[in-house]
Amino acid sequence: MFGYRVPAPDEAMLISGGRRGLGGAPFRVVTGHGKFVLPIFRKTRFLTLSMCESEVTETCVTRQGIALHVRAVIAFKVGNDHESIINAGQRFLSDQDQMSVLTGRIFAGHLRAIIGSMTVEEIVTERQKLAAEVLDTSKTEMAKIGLIVDSLQIQSIDDGDTGYIDAMSAPHKAAIQRQAQIAQAQATQASVEAEQVAARNQAEYARQTAVVKAEYSAEVDRAQARAAQAGPLAQAHAQQEVLDAQTELALRQAKLRQQQLVAEIVKPAEAEAERIRVLAAAEAQRMKIQAEAAASYDRVALDRMLIDQLPQIVKEAAGGLAGANVNVLNGADGLGEIAAGLVSQGLTILDSVRQNLNGQDASDGRRPPESSGNGSGNGLLQLHSRKDGKGDDGPVDVD
């Protein structure tokens, strides 16, 4: 638009004409935005706010009287506040290059003053301290002309032909050289040791390689020997297996023959022995039964003999009563009782005789003698009758 002006981001627009600016300045300051300016009645100018550089090369004398050639670089710019812009605009608006010239001169004077109060050792070893002191002393003066310093760098310090700095650095150089020589010697030693270690490693590797090769060679030889022996060993193993099989077969045949012998000889012999034992036991049992039967037969014969003689015994007992004076009180019943008593007495005599014979057989272990059917011999029974003076019959004794 006609009459509307806008400053660049690193510029300040100064409008003169019309009313005055801040603090009675002859112009108004506009930054960061545009402004409508009446043509012909107003005039606009632009002041740079960008970074500027000034280089200072100055010969300064130290507190020791030694001349030093110092080279420094100053980075500065116009301040962003209105007061700094107004101060700088009033001084450098028509010739803004003068800011670098004036700044260099200002710092050259402060640099000479600060170096004059320091020794060479301090200047060389404490460059940052030198720069800080120069900035502090120049800050107020730079602010008056609307400039601020961003940095001050001491580029170089040279004493010319005096050789003071070289002499001052000689001990350090010697120490550094000594350290360098030591480092070089250590590096050489380390290199030699590394070479020796490498040589040992190579020798060890060669030895291990030779050992491995020898082991491989021995392994190959063993494998070849095993391969050469494989055929005979296989044949020997086969023969051994045949022998083992034959031995096993022989053992089985022997066991089978043993079983056959047991079945053909031992078992029949045992069966025959068992048969003989059974027959002998049966024969013994038969003989025992026969003996018991014979003994039983003898007792039966004796009993029959006694039974056969019983009527004779009763008869003899009755005969003994023939001369006796018997009174029958109850008639026929009394006679029956007398007859029954005679028979009972005969039976008692028979039992007594049997018991005596059994006792005799048990005492001498012999069978009783055989008796004949007529009752004669050792088994003869005798019956006696005795009368007392009263005419009563006495007891009947059997011998």
Side-chain angles (χ1 to χ4, degrees):
M1 182 180 292
F2 180 75
Y4 191 81
R5 308 296 296 274
V6 179
D10 58 346
E11 290 180 338
M13 185 172 62
L14 306 181
I15 303 173
S16 60
R19 60 184 182 181
R20 291 181 173 272
L22 183 64
F27 47 82
R28 288 177 297 167
V29 178
V30 177
T31 58
H33 59 86
K35 191 75 173 177
F36 184 78
V37 180
L38 290 175
I40 302 172
F41 298 100
R42 303 287 188 268
K43 186 175 182 180
T44 59
R45 303 284 298 273
F46 295 94
L47 178 65
T48 181
L49 301 178
S50 61
M51 182 67 65
C52 299
E53 180 182 301
S54 177
E55 183 175 342
V56 176
T57 302
E58 191 70 22
T59 300
C60 306
V61 180
T62 64
R63 189 175 62 185
Q64 300 161 314
I66 298 173
L68 298 177
H69 302 285
V70 180
R71 180 174 177 272
V73 176
I74 305 100
F76 67 95
K77 66 180 291 296
V78 177
N80 292 328
D81 60 293
H82 284 196
E83 183 178 0
S84 297
I85 293 173
I86 291 172
N87 292 334
Q90 290 178 344
R91 291 171 175 81
F92 306 110
L93 187 57
S94 58
D95 189 3
Q96 297 184 26
D97 293 336
Q98 288 296 320
M99 288 188 295
S100 298
V101 176
L102 182 58
T103 299
R105 292 175 180 175
I106 293 173
F107 272 88
H110 290 290
L111 191 61
R112 285 194 301 269
I114 299 301
I115 289 177
S117 62
M118 299 175 65
T119 63
V120 177
E121 290 79 5
E122 292 174 347
I123 295 170
V124 172
T125 59
E126 299 179 6
R127 291 190 180 186
Q128 190 62 33
K129 178 181 177 181
L130 173 62
E133 289 185 1
V134 172
L135 286 175
D136 289 339
T137 55
S138 62
K139 184 181 297 183
T140 304
E141 189 173 355
M142 293 291 290
K144 290 180 179 180
I145 59 177
L147 302 178
I148 57 175
V149 179
D150 287 339
S151 67
L152 170 64
Q153 296 294 329
I154 306 297
Q155 297 291 324
S156 64
I157 299 174
D158 185 15
D159 60 351
D161 296 333
T162 58
Y164 187 90
I165 295 178
D166 291 339
M168 184 180 65
S169 62
H172 299 287
K173 289 181 179 179
I176 292 172
Q177 290 177 356
R178 183 170 61 254
Q179 293 177 358
Q181 292 174 356
I182 293 172
Q184 182 64 34
Q186 292 176 349
T188 302
Q189 183 179 358
S191 176
V192 173
E193 291 178 354
E195 291 178 356
Q196 294 176 354
V197 171
R200 286 196 298 269
N201 291 336
Q202 291 179 356
E204 180 65 20
Y205 181 76
R207 185 186 68 80
Q208 292 179 357
T209 303
V211 170
V212 172
K213 287 182 178 179
E215 291 178 353
Y216 287 163
S217 178
E219 184 67 23
V220 171
D221 293 339
R222 287 194 294 270
Q224 292 177 352
R226 286 195 296 269
Q229 295 174 357
L233 288 176
Q235 184 177 2
H237 286 311
Q239 293 177 356
Q240 183 64 36
E241 290 178 356
V242 171
L243 292 176
D244 292 342
Q246 292 177 351
T247 303
E248 181 69 19
L249 179 60
L251 291 176
R252 291 182 179 179
Q253 291 177 350
K255 187 175 181 181
L256 179 60
R257 181 57 182 163
Q258 182 181 3
Q259 293 175 355
Q260 291 176 352
L261 291 175
V262 170
E264 294 174 357
I265 298 176
V266 177
K267 293 297 182 181
E270 292 179 352
E272 182 65 20
E274 182 66 19
R275 186 183 68 80
I276 294 172
R277 186 185 64 79
V278 171
L279 291 176
E283 182 65 20
Q285 184 68 21
R286 185 184 65 80
M287 294 177 67
K288 180 179 179 182
I289 292 172
Q290 289 177 354
E292 292 177 353
S296 176
Y297 177 78
D298 291 341
R299 288 194 295 272
V300 171
L302 180 60
D303 291 342
R304 291 184 64 184
M305 181 188 71
L306 292 176
I307 292 171
D308 292 339
Q309 291 183 2
L310 181 60
Q312 185 65 29
I313 295 170
V314 173
K315 181 179 179 181
E316 293 294 332
L321 295 176
N325 187 12
V326 179
N327 295 321
V328 180
L329 298 179
N330 53 357
D333 294 333
L335 290 175
E337 290 177 359
I338 291 172
L342 290 174
V343 174
S344 175
Q345 187 175 6
L347 292 173
T348 301
I349 293 170
L350 179 61
D351 290 335
S352 177
V353 171
R354 185 186 292 114
Q355 291 177 1
N356 289 332
L357 291 175
N358 291 334
Q360 183 179 0
D361 292 339
S363 63
D364 58 10
R366 295 181 292 106
R367 293 188 298 170
E370 296 180 355
S371 61
S372 63
N374 56 8
S376 61
N378 293 333
L380 180 62
L381 298 178
Q382 297 179 359
L383 180 63
H384 300 279
S385 173
R386 184 179 59 182
K387 298 178 184 177
D388 56 11
K390 297 180 179 180
D392 296 330
D393 293 335
V396 178
D397 294 333
V398 180
D399 295 332

